[in-house]
């Protein structure tokens, strides 16, 4: 197996990785020479490599975006509110009517229902309203040479050149996000090569200008990830007042009968369906926000994007396009935490033996689970939600500094004795 390209130009890339200096034009030009050689070693058409790679342009904005880390955490309430919007629901329903024949054809072939395809399309590019205006080859070359993830973006640049080589798109038309995601459904080049299909039969895989190609490719990708035809992504549920929140989290998966026995019900009070399916319980806004049971297709959605919030937004937008109403419980605002505060939270949890994992400043599943264990010991609802009471108990928020949480939180439910 050949070594990753990152190690073929150590003097340049290791200096960049170490943060010794910013990526300058001179460094970029030297790196382009190495990329051209790499392309020819990988079997890219030498004429294409020689013509295109030396002409690529350093995108300083791309470097800034890649290195920039959000200073503050974003709550599920904020995330959901900005994505599952009235406009997006209305437009999704109209597009479903407009493209009914195409969507039915794609569903029949791949087993992915129309509402889900529309939901991905809506969340990725607002139904094709904007899928980026950054030249993809320039962006990928910049990120390959910037060095933080050099090997990954070098491979993606080679893949993008293969897409040009096959005639799917011309270089001037190949525009996308700053990180190289492309077309209606924002495929990275490697995903394009593996899963893009010619849905309209014109002999090209065009995810920019052909909606049949884009939707068929999205469905093909989901099918390959293991989409279960005829099954839901999940559903909103209601919990009893005495619910034990320690069973929540994507790491806990139980048959529906398990949740029925614990009096988990539909929001209208009806019992859960009697189906041979396993489900996990998610509480993205804690005990006072909406509760969801999520099934295997939820995990498939996370194969597209590893964010639980993203997967919940996909599922709920699909439900709304299908005619479902609003959530019975609105997401609850959370304190707006600086990354340093999250790191301090993780350090405190780790120091106290709650095993939060890496102190990276990200409120991921591991941190939420550790917070839940801390809450249980404190006699708080063990839902893993960073509410003011839990953060103050950890010393992360002071009484006078618990602002930006949307006001005082409602009275929290207490766990079963």
């Amino acid at each position: 197996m050949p070594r990753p390209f990152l190690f073929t130009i150590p003097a340049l890339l290791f200096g960049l990785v170490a943060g010794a200096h910013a990526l300058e034009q001179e460094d970029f030009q030297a790196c382009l020479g190495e990329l051209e050689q790499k392309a020819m070693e990988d079997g890219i058409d030498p004429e294409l490599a020689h013509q295109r790679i030396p002409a690529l342009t350093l995108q300083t904005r791309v470097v800034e975006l890649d290195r920039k880390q959000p200073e503050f955490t974003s709550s599920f309430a904020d995330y959901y509110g900005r994505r599952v919007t009235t406009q997006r629901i209305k437009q999704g329903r109209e597009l479903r009517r407009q493209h009914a024949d195409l969507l039915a054809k794609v569903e029949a072939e791949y087993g992915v229902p129309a509402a889900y395809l529309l939901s991905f399309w809506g969340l990725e590019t607002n139904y094709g309203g904007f899928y980026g205006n950054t030249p993809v080859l320039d962006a990928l070359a910049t990120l390959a040479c910037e060095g933080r993830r050099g090997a990954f973006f070098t491979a993606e640049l080679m893949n993008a050149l293969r897409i040009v080589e096959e005639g799917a798109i011309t270089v001037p038309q190949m525009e996308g996000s700053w990180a190289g995601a492309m077309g209606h459904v924002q495929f990275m080049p490697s995903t394009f090569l593996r899963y893009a299909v010619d849905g309209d039969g014109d002999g090209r895989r065009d995810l920019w200008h052909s909606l049949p190609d884009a939707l068929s490719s999205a469905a093909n990708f989901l099918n390959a990830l293991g989409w279960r035809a005829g099954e839901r992504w999940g559903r909103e549920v209601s919990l009893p007042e005495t619910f034990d929140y320690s069973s929540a989290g994507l790491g806990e998966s139980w048959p529906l009968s398990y949740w029925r026995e614990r009096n988990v019900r539909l929001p209208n009070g009806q019992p859960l369906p009697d189906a041979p399916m396993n489900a996990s319980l998610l509480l993205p806004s804690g005990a006072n926000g909406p509760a969801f049971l999520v099934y295997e297709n939820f995990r498939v959605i996370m194969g597209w994007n590893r964010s639980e919030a993203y997967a919940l937004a996909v599922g709920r937008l699909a439900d709304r396009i299908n005619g479902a109403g609003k959530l019975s419980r609105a997401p609850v605002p959370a304190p707006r935490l600086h990354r340093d505060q999250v790191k301090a939270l993780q350090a405190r949890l780790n120091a106290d033996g709650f095993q939060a994992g890496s102190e990276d400043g990200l409120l991921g599943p591991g941190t939420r689970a550790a917070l839940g264990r801390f809450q249980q010991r404190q006699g708080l609802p063990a839902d893993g939600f960073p509410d003011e009471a839990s953060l103050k108990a950890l010393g992360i928020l002071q009484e006078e500094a618990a602002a930006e949480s949307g006001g005082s939180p409602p009275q929290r439910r207490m766990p079963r004795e």
Side-chain angles (χ1 to χ4, degrees), residues 52-98:
R52 290 298 178 182
I53 294 179
L56 296 179
T57 302
L58 173 63
Q59 300 285 321
T60 56
R61 178 60 175 159
V62 166
V63 177
E64 293 170 4
L65 290 169
D66 185 55
R67 294 182 178 181
K68 182 180 179 182
Q69 297 290 340
E71 286 189 275
F72 291 91
T73 61
S74 177
S75 71
F76 177 72
D78 178 59
Y79 184 95
Y80 184 86
R82 287 186 287 110
R83 285 162 177 80
V84 185
T85 64
T86 300
Q87 172 273 328
R88 198 162 279 166
I89 295 163
K90 181 179 178 180
Q91 189 174 356
R93 291 173 179 173
E94 175 56 36
L95 288 168
R96 182 173 185 169
R97 289 188 291 270
Q98 183 179 337

Side-chain angles (χ1 to χ4, degrees), residues 333-382:
R336 193 164 178 250
L337 297 177
H338 192 281
R339 287 177 63 88
D340 289 342
Q341 289 175 301
V342 179
K343 289 180 181 180
L345 180 151
Q346 292 166 327
R348 175 67 185 274
L349 290 170
N350 283 332
D352 290 350
F354 292 105
Q355 301 177 335
S358 175
E359 295 168 15
D360 56 8
L362 302 176
L363 271 170
T367 302
R368 293 281 297 265
L371 179 57
R373 292 188 285 271
F374 169 81
Q375 291 165 330
Q376 189 171 38
R377 181 178 293 182
Q378 293 291 312
L380 296 167

Side-chain angles (χ1 to χ4, degrees), residues 6 15 34 73-74 84 86 104 106 146 187 202-203 211 229 248 266 275 332 344 350 358-359 377:
L6 177 63
E34 298 282 357
T73 61
S74 177
V84 185
T86 300
V106 174
E146 186 261 350
F187 275 10
D202 69 350
L211 191 56
L266 301 181
V332 176
N350 283 332
S358 175
E359 295 168 15
R377 181 178 293 182

